[in-house]
């Protein structure tokens, strides 16, 4: 059974997922370049580790062995497919 992609911003904390796609047109050129440099691409494994308590704050996520912080607006442009066990 296929799952509906969510934005990374909506992914529950500690839920593992794979990147289903990135809405590059919603990002500025520097934001898109940074994501590409960090290895964000379709099929890559990702997990939300922490969200800032203050609404609109950054989201810390693990991609590969790296932990990166993303603005919520950027996380909203990254679509993910949650993994089931």
């Amino acid at each position: 059974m296929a799952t509906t992609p969510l934005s990374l911003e909506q992914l529950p904390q500690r839920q593992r997922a794979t990147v289903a796609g990135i809405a590059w047109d919603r990002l500025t050129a520097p934001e898109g370049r940074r994501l590409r440099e960090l290895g964000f691409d379709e099929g890559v494994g990702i997990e939300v580790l922490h969200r800032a308590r203050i609404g609109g704050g950054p989201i810390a996520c693990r991609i590969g062995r790296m932990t990166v912080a993303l603005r919520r607006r950027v996380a909203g442009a990254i679509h993910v497919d949650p993994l089931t066990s």
Side-chain angles (χ1 to χ4, degrees):
M1 181 172 142
T3 58
T4 304
L6 311 165
S7 73
L8 182 59
E9 184 180 19
Q10 299 168 316
L11 187 68
Q13 209 164 298
R14 300 292 178 182
Q15 169 71 50
R16 294 174 42 151
T18 57
V19 175
I22 299 172
W24 298 109
D25 59 328
R26 292 180 47 195
L27 303 171
T28 65
E31 290 167 340
R33 185 173 46 253
R34 178 175 178 244
L35 289 183
R36 286 182 186 99
E37 289 170 353
L38 291 171
F40 281 80
D41 202 359
E42 287 184 26
V44 172
I46 194 161
E47 176 183 6
V48 172
L49 300 175
H50 182 74
R51 287 184 170 79
R53 290 183 188 222
I54 299 172
I59 295 173
C61 61
R62 178 178 295 131
I63 178 167
R65 295 185 331 189
M66 291 183 298
T67 300
V68 296
L70 299 172
R71 291 183 177 105
R72 289 196 189 233
R73 187 181 65 71
V74 172
I78 300 169
H79 302 286
V80 298
D81 283 321
L83 298 176
T84 55
S85 300

